[in-house]
Amino acid sequence: MNATLERWGSRRAFILAVTGAAVGLGNIWRFPYITGENGGAAFLLLYIAFVLLLGLPVMMAEILIGRAGRRSPMLSLGHLATAAGASAHWRWLGLFGAFTVFCILSFYSVVSGWSIEFLVTSINGGFVGATPAEVGAGFEAFLGDPARMTFNHTLFLAMTMLVVAAGVAKGLERLNNLLMPLLYVLLLLLAGYAATTEGFAPALAWLFRPDLAAITPLVVMHAMGHAFFTLAVGACALMAYGAYMPEQQSLPRAAGAVAVLDVAVALLAGIAIFSVVFAQGMDPGEGPGLMFVTLPIAFAELPWGALWLSVFFLLLLLATWTSSINLAEPMVATLQGAGMRRGPAAAAVGVAVWLVGLLSVLSFSTLAEWRPLFGMNVFDLVTTIPTEIFLPVGGLLIAIFAAWVMRREEARAALGVGEAGFRLWQGVVRWVSIPLAFVVLIAGLL
Ligand code: TRP
């Protein structure tokens, strides 16, 4: 076995690591704005259905492959395929995953950089007494300033690659243990405060009273993509973490806990953000700036608002940090599997992602009108295509591999449950998840 592979220190550490990967911008930034753009409750309903029927079973598939293979994604896939008498070409799925996370990390780092900017501004009291219009204008001015955005993007990516270079398990365990629960508490407080505002009732109606007429094939596809994104599934990134999973642990239980927490965080963020949107008469379909303009306004009304806002952005930054470390892992693991040392591999990945990330930075200024594909600029492309097409395609292949290709005993042992549990999981993946992903992809693309 690969001597460089470490193990997570405990079961708790594994769950925390996967939660750290799952909870991030997807819950607090992407979920509210995507929900806002896609009609509210109808989208939420679809997204939860996809988490249960597709995201969760495929998450187990992905982690079990890593756990059974105990190598980098590419090597695990190749090894397990050969052992099952299937084609070693399955290993290219690992490379496809690395390409997917490459695209995702290129904008993830840029948007995380926005959190750095907002953290600094709120520490300096920049939002004290600001009107909603002023917050919005400040955000626009920041987006139009490539130098500041590049600085933050660079800082964030350097922070990420440093932890990755040091080895994920050691670096991550400390971060996750203490700070993530604090973020949940803060979100709970914020949602609790939102409940006392006049925007709360319309926000709940918007989130929980679905208008089924709003459901179109495209909305369904957005919901599927988001389910994969928020659970960190479909790009072999959790596969890489599965390789470090302890022997004695039930995978379904761990995955279930992560999914519940992940959805809960998204709901809390959604409630807090939409309460502000409706209290201020803002547009829920405002787009990627939604969280950044609503939360400073919400916190400004609270006693000690600037302090709370600073704490919030600090914790958000930690949450995105643990996610971006996970995003980097499949690329670094792939290079490592090809014989590179971890440090240089992390450096190479960092430089490449940084360069492509600059295109996202410039999408808000110089390159705003450069639309290389489908009439979208680079930021719109990298926030859409990898999530809505690459992740579902990757997830579909991962599911097929785990439920149809791998040797049965090997898959069962890696799932870590009894015969009945294994049958249930395999049945759901074979007859629900795989057909569902297939149909939605085809319908969305046609
Ligand atoms: N799930 C993370 C979020 O919601 C993003 C993420 C981390 C991710 N690792 C991933 C997305 C792997 C896809 C694949 O912010």
Side-chain angles (χ1 to χ4, degrees):
M1 200 207 295
N2 189 340
T4 57
L5 271 191
E6 347 159 49
R7 288 287 158 91
W8 303 104
S10 62
R11 297 177 195 204
R12 194 173 125 78
F14 178 75
I15 294 190
L16 280 170
V18 178
T19 311
V23 175
L25 288 175
N27 311 67
I28 298 168
W29 168 72
R30 195 175 194 276
F31 169 75
Y33 95 75
I34 287 277
T35 305
E37 285 179 343
N38 286 281
F43 177 85
L44 176 63
L45 195 71
L46 289 169
Y47 148 73
I48 290 182
F50 279 120
V51 165
L52 291 176
L53 299 177
L54 195 54
L56 195 52
V58 179
M59 182 194 253
M60 296 177 207
E62 184 171 328
I63 298 175
L64 85 75
I65 295 172
R67 193 187 202 183
R70 294 273 184 224
R71 294 164 170 80
S72 78
M74 258 186 109
L75 296 178
S76 289
L77 286 161
H79 170 77
L80 295 171
T82 319
S87 161
H89 283 310
W90 275 102
R91 70 177 183 281
W92 299 113
L93 176 55
L95 197 64
F96 178 61
F99 176 68
T100 306
V101 288
F102 177 76
C103 301
I104 293 178
L105 188 56
S106 77
F107 78 79
Y108 206 93
S109 165
V110 172
V111 177
S112 299
W114 300 354
S115 306
I116 298 183
E117 180 76 17
F118 273 61
L119 171 63
V120 173
T121 308
S122 60
I123 290 177
N124 290 334
F127 294 114
V128 175
T131 64
E134 283 164 353
V135 175
F139 184 55
E140 290 299 318
F142 168 63
L143 291 182
D145 186 343
R148 263 158 81 203
M149 263 170 81
T150 302
F151 176 79
N152 292 321
H153 163 53
T154 311
L155 189 63
F156 183 79
L157 202 55
M159 277 166 46
T160 299
M161 298 325 291
L162 272 177
V163 179
V164 174
V168 168
K170 262 178 285 157
L172 263 182
E173 281 192 42
R174 299 223 179 90
L175 261 182
N176 281 329
N177 256 318
L178 181 70
L179 296 166
M180 296 299 288
L182 221 71
L183 175 68
Y184 308 147
V185 172
L186 207 65
L187 275 168
L188 258 171
L189 285 177
L190 196 59
Y193 163 72
T196 68
T197 66
E198 55 187 316
F200 186 63
L204 288 191
W206 163 258
L207 276 172
F208 298 111
R209 207 172 302 144
D211 166 17
L212 297 182
I215 298 179
T216 65
L218 217 54
V219 171
V220 176
M221 188 143 156
H222 293 322
M224 175 168 79
H226 187 69
F228 280 112
F229 184 92
T230 189
L231 294 178
V233 169
C236 306
L238 294 185
M239 197 183 292
Y241 277 14
Y244 316 130
M245 188 172 176
E247 307 288 351
Q248 305 297 327
Q249 184 163 21
S250 153
L251 178 41
R253 205 173 296 167
V258 172
V260 167
L261 202 64
D262 190 71
V263 171
V265 170
L267 286 178
L268 288 177
I271 289 171
I273 287 173
F274 284 115
S275 295
V276 182
V277 166
F278 289 110
Q280 303 286 340
M282 294 164 69
D283 171 16
E286 136 109 34
L290 189 65
M291 178 201 97
F292 288 95
V293 291
T294 47
L295 289 188
I297 298 169
F299 278 105
E301 299 187 347
L302 285 171
W304 301 86
L307 178 67
W308 290 119
L309 188 63
S310 309
V311 174
F312 176 84
F313 277 113
L314 184 67
L315 295 173
L316 175 65
L317 206 56
L318 293 168
T320 66
W321 198 8
T322 54
S323 294
S324 64
I325 289 164
N326 175 252
L327 283 163
E329 184 60 22
M331 296 184 269
V332 173
T334 300
L335 292 180
Q336 221 182 354
M340 245 171 126
R341 278 183 305 123
R342 210 169 161 88
V349 167
V351 170
V353 170
W354 182 79
L355 281 171
V356 175
L358 291 182
L359 296 175
S360 279
V361 167
L362 296 175
S363 293
F364 294 91
S365 47
T366 330
L367 295 182
E369 292 311 314
W370 183 50
R371 300 172 192 277
L373 263 179
F374 313 122
M376 291 193 254
N377 68 27
V378 174
F379 182 79
D380 293 338
L381 276 173
V382 289
T383 49
T384 316
I385 307 295
T387 297
E388 308 212 334
I389 300 178
F390 299 173
L391 288 180
V393 169
L396 184 59
L397 292 171
I398 286 167
I400 293 174
F401 187 84
W404 289 106
V405 176
M406 255 176 94
R407 279 176 35 211
R408 190 177 195 283
E409 317 82 80
E410 215 155 13
R412 212 196 88 167
L415 193 64
V417 292
E419 178 62 24
F422 179 76
R423 284 220 184 129
L424 176 65
W425 167 81
Q426 198 189 40
V428 170
V429 173
R430 282 186 170 179
W431 310 116
V432 181
S433 311
I434 293 175
L436 184 65
F438 195 72
V439 168
V440 175
L441 263 174
I442 301 287
L445 290 177
L446 287 186

